[in-house]
mmCIF file of all heavy atoms in Angstrom:
data_model
loop_
_atom_site.group_PDB
_atom_site.id
_atom_site.type_symbol
_atom_site.label_atom_id
_atom_site.label_comp_id
_atom_site.label_asym_id
_atom_site.label_seq_id
_atom_site.Cartn_x
_atom_site.Cartn_y
_atom_site.Cartn_z
ATOM 1 N N LEU A 27 9.807 16.272 31.584
ATOM 2 C CA LEU A 27 8.451 16.352 32.114
ATOM 3 C C LEU A 27 7.798 17.691 31.840
ATOM 4 O O LEU A 27 6.944 18.158 32.570
ATOM 5 C CB LEU A 27 8.460 16.041 33.607
ATOM 6 C CG LEU A 27 8.612 14.548 33.883
ATOM 7 C CD1 LEU A 27 8.752 14.291 35.358
ATOM 8 C CD2 LEU A 27 7.419 13.805 33.313
ATOM 9 N N SER A 41 -8.047 3.447 31.027
ATOM 10 C CA SER A 41 -7.330 4.536 31.665
ATOM 11 C C SER A 41 -5.853 4.192 31.821
ATOM 12 O O SER A 41 -4.973 5.000 31.532
ATOM 13 C CB SER A 41 -7.965 4.808 33.023
ATOM 14 O OG SER A 41 -7.165 5.661 33.787
ATOM 15 N N VAL A 55 0.383 13.010 33.080
ATOM 16 C CA VAL A 55 -0.948 12.427 33.210
ATOM 17 C C VAL A 55 -1.406 12.473 34.660
ATOM 18 O O VAL A 55 -0.660 12.104 35.557
ATOM 19 C CB VAL A 55 -0.948 10.957 32.731
ATOM 20 C CG1 VAL A 55 -2.341 10.371 32.836
ATOM 21 C CG2 VAL A 55 -0.408 10.855 31.324
ATOM 22 N N LEU A 69 -0.550 -0.661 39.362
ATOM 23 C CA LEU A 69 -1.187 -0.834 38.061
ATOM 24 C C LEU A 69 -0.829 0.294 37.113
ATOM 25 O O LEU A 69 -0.839 0.118 35.906
ATOM 26 C CB LEU A 69 -2.705 -0.901 38.236
ATOM 27 C CG LEU A 69 -3.178 -2.112 39.022
ATOM 28 C CD1 LEU A 69 -4.676 -2.090 39.168
ATOM 29 C CD2 LEU A 69 -2.728 -3.384 38.317
ATOM 30 N N ALA A 85 -6.273 19.744 37.435
ATOM 31 C CA ALA A 85 -4.871 19.699 37.000
ATOM 32 C C ALA A 85 -4.760 19.714 35.475
ATOM 33 O O ALA A 85 -3.792 20.231 34.920
ATOM 34 C CB ALA A 85 -4.192 18.456 37.580
ATOM 35 N N PHE A 139 -22.790 18.506 30.030
ATOM 36 C CA PHE A 139 -21.746 19.501 30.260
ATOM 37 C C PHE A 139 -21.748 20.542 29.142
ATOM 38 O O PHE A 139 -20.875 20.556 28.286
ATOM 39 C CB PHE A 139 -20.372 18.825 30.348
ATOM 40 C CG PHE A 139 -20.279 17.881 31.499
ATOM 41 C CD1 PHE A 139 -20.599 16.542 31.341
ATOM 42 C CD2 PHE A 139 -19.923 18.332 32.763
ATOM 43 C CE1 PHE A 139 -20.541 15.673 32.409
ATOM 44 C CE2 PHE A 139 -19.864 17.467 33.830
ATOM 45 C CZ PHE A 139 -20.180 16.135 33.661
ATOM 46 N N MET A 141 -20.977 23.571 29.051
ATOM 47 C CA MET A 141 -19.891 24.540 29.027
ATOM 48 C C MET A 141 -18.547 23.903 28.661
ATOM 49 O O MET A 141 -17.522 24.572 28.643
ATOM 50 C CB MET A 141 -19.768 25.240 30.392
ATOM 51 C CG MET A 141 -21.028 25.972 30.831
ATOM 52 S SD MET A 141 -21.509 27.197 29.602
ATOM 53 C CE MET A 141 -20.225 28.442 29.854
ATOM 54 N N LEU A 168 -11.225 7.435 14.836
ATOM 55 C CA LEU A 168 -12.334 8.231 14.317
ATOM 56 C C LEU A 168 -12.690 9.302 15.332
ATOM 57 O O LEU A 168 -12.898 8.997 16.506
ATOM 58 C CB LEU A 168 -13.542 7.333 14.024
ATOM 59 C CG LEU A 168 -13.259 6.132 13.127
ATOM 60 C CD1 LEU A 168 -14.497 5.264 12.998
ATOM 61 C CD2 LEU A 168 -12.769 6.576 11.770
ATOM 62 N N PHE A 211 -16.462 -4.490 8.789
ATOM 63 C CA PHE A 211 -16.479 -4.154 7.373
ATOM 64 C C PHE A 211 -17.879 -3.776 6.901
ATOM 65 O O PHE A 211 -18.454 -4.443 6.046
ATOM 66 C CB PHE A 211 -15.977 -5.333 6.551
ATOM 67 C CG PHE A 211 -14.578 -5.721 6.875
ATOM 68 C CD1 PHE A 211 -14.299 -6.792 7.686
ATOM 69 C CD2 PHE A 211 -13.522 -4.978 6.367
ATOM 70 C CE1 PHE A 211 -12.996 -7.128 7.983
ATOM 71 C CE2 PHE A 211 -12.210 -5.326 6.657
ATOM 72 C CZ PHE A 211 -11.956 -6.409 7.466
ATOM 73 N N LEU A 327 -2.946 -30.234 -13.285
ATOM 74 C CA LEU A 327 -2.281 -30.959 -12.194
ATOM 75 C C LEU A 327 -3.144 -32.102 -11.686
ATOM 76 O O LEU A 327 -2.665 -32.968 -10.959
ATOM 77 C CB LEU A 327 -2.020 -30.013 -11.017
ATOM 78 C CG LEU A 327 -0.952 -28.943 -11.186
ATOM 79 C CD1 LEU A 327 -0.944 -28.046 -9.968
ATOM 80 C CD2 LEU A 327 0.394 -29.601 -11.382
ATOM 81 N N ARG A 341 -7.356 -44.311 -27.084
ATOM 82 C CA ARG A 341 -8.372 -44.310 -28.141
ATOM 83 C C ARG A 341 -7.770 -43.903 -29.480
ATOM 84 O O ARG A 341 -8.059 -44.489 -30.518
ATOM 85 C CB ARG A 341 -9.508 -43.339 -27.782
ATOM 86 C CG ARG A 341 -10.487 -43.901 -26.751
ATOM 87 C CD ARG A 341 -11.779 -43.099 -26.727
ATOM 88 N NE ARG A 341 -11.514 -41.681 -26.510
ATOM 89 C CZ ARG A 341 -11.344 -41.127 -25.305
ATOM 90 N NH1 ARG A 341 -11.414 -41.879 -24.217
ATOM 91 N NH2 ARG A 341 -11.109 -39.853 -25.181
ATOM 92 N N ALA A 345 -7.758 -46.142 -32.769
ATOM 93 C CA ALA A 345 -8.388 -45.663 -33.999
ATOM 94 C C ALA A 345 -7.368 -45.433 -35.108
ATOM 95 O O ALA A 345 -7.742 -45.214 -36.263
ATOM 96 C CB ALA A 345 -9.158 -44.373 -33.710
ATOM 97 N N LEU A 368 -5.167 -11.229 -20.513
ATOM 98 C CA LEU A 368 -5.078 -9.770 -20.625
ATOM 99 C C LEU A 368 -6.132 -9.090 -19.765
ATOM 100 O O LEU A 368 -5.854 -8.114 -19.057
ATOM 101 C CB LEU A 368 -5.220 -9.349 -22.087
ATOM 102 C CG LEU A 368 -4.048 -9.769 -22.981
ATOM 103 C CD1 LEU A 368 -4.295 -9.361 -24.409
ATOM 104 C CD2 LEU A 368 -2.743 -9.172 -22.465
ATOM 105 N N SER A 380 -6.529 0.444 -6.269
ATOM 106 C CA SER A 380 -7.472 0.541 -5.156
ATOM 107 C C SER A 380 -6.765 0.516 -3.811
ATOM 108 O O SER A 380 -7.381 0.799 -2.788
ATOM 109 C CB SER A 380 -8.476 -0.607 -5.203
ATOM 110 O OG SER A 380 -9.288 -0.492 -6.339
ATOM 111 N N PHE A 393 -6.729 8.718 -11.700
ATOM 112 C CA PHE A 393 -7.555 7.739 -11.010
ATOM 113 C C PHE A 393 -8.782 7.380 -11.848
ATOM 114 O O PHE A 393 -9.134 6.213 -12.007
ATOM 115 C CB PHE A 393 -7.976 8.314 -9.655
ATOM 116 C CG PHE A 393 -8.655 7.326 -8.764
ATOM 117 C CD1 PHE A 393 -7.934 6.321 -8.148
ATOM 118 C CD2 PHE A 393 -10.020 7.394 -8.539
ATOM 119 C CE1 PHE A 393 -8.558 5.409 -7.328
ATOM 120 C CE2 PHE A 393 -10.651 6.476 -7.721
ATOM 121 C CZ PHE A 393 -9.911 5.493 -7.111
ATOM 122 N N GLU A 468 -27.855 23.231 -16.255
ATOM 123 C CA GLU A 468 -29.141 22.602 -15.970
ATOM 124 C C GLU A 468 -30.129 22.956 -17.076
ATOM 125 O O GLU A 468 -30.147 24.088 -17.564
ATOM 126 C CB GLU A 468 -29.692 23.101 -14.637
ATOM 127 C CG GLU A 468 -28.810 22.745 -13.474
ATOM 128 C CD GLU A 468 -29.429 23.171 -12.178
ATOM 129 O OE1 GLU A 468 -30.251 22.401 -11.654
ATOM 130 O OE2 GLU A 468 -29.143 24.263 -11.705
ATOM 131 N N ASN A 477 -28.209 32.215 -13.963
ATOM 132 C CA ASN A 477 -26.932 32.322 -13.280
ATOM 133 C C ASN A 477 -25.914 32.931 -14.222
ATOM 134 O O ASN A 477 -25.382 32.271 -15.093
ATOM 135 C CB ASN A 477 -26.484 30.922 -12.856
ATOM 136 C CG ASN A 477 -25.096 30.942 -12.269
ATOM 137 O OD1 ASN A 477 -24.531 32.011 -12.021
ATOM 138 N ND2 ASN A 477 -24.535 29.786 -12.065
#
Side-chain angles (χ1 to χ4, degrees):
Chain A
L27 284 174
S41 168
V55 182
L69 295 179
F139 297 91
M141 301 303 288
L168 307 176
F211 299 101
L327 289 175
R341 282 196 305 276
L368 292 178
S380 294
F393 189 73
E468 297 184 84
N477 174 9

